[in-house]
Amino acid sequence: MERERYVGVSGVMLKPDVYLALGISGQIQHMVGALGSQTILAVNKDKNAPIFQYVDYGLVGDINKVLPALIQAMKA
């Protein structure tokens, strides 16, 4: 990928209102670029993933199952 698509130390620093991290482990190199986010939401199947130390809201689960359910709930 091009550098402009990287988030973190080697790329982009984000400052969105909401950052939705799907399947992101949360290594510090990545999180440096995401910590400017107003609200961080994460879905990861590893309950011990480092990303859960930084999130405002976290779901432990497989994104292939959780994401369709979230999309369906948002349509309702």
Side-chain angles (χ1 to χ4, degrees), residues 38-59:
Q38 198 74 30
T39 303
I40 300 175
L41 298 99
V43 178
N44 194 295
K45 63 183 177 182
D46 179 3
K47 68 179 181 177
N48 296 313
I51 191 126
F52 291 122
Q53 297 173 21
Y54 304 99
V55 300
D56 298 291
Y57 302 97
L59 285 168

Side-chain angles (χ1 to χ4, degrees), residues 2-4 11 23 27 35 46-48 55 66 70 72:
E2 309 91 41
R3 181 185 162 120
E4 294 80 30
Q27 295 300 316
L35 287 177
D46 179 3
K47 68 179 181 177
N48 296 313
V55 300
V66 172
L70 287 174
Q72 192 62 34

Side-chain angles (χ1 to χ4, degrees), residues 3-66:
R3 181 185 162 120
E4 294 80 30
R5 298 192 66 185
Y6 291 0
V7 173
V9 174
S10 60
V12 178
M13 301 298 180
L14 302 175
K15 292 185 181 183
D17 290 337
V18 176
Y19 176 51
L20 181 57
L22 300 172
I24 302 293
S25 67
Q27 295 300 316
I28 191 65
Q29 296 87 344
H30 177 82
M31 293 312 300
V32 164
L35 287 177
S37 306
Q38 198 74 30
T39 303
I40 300 175
L41 298 99
V43 178
N44 194 295
K45 63 183 177 182
D46 179 3
K47 68 179 181 177
N48 296 313
I51 191 126
F52 291 122
Q53 297 173 21
Y54 304 99
V55 300
D56 298 291
Y57 302 97
L59 285 168
V60 175
D62 183 336
I63 62 170
N64 296 307
K65 295 177 182 176
V66 172

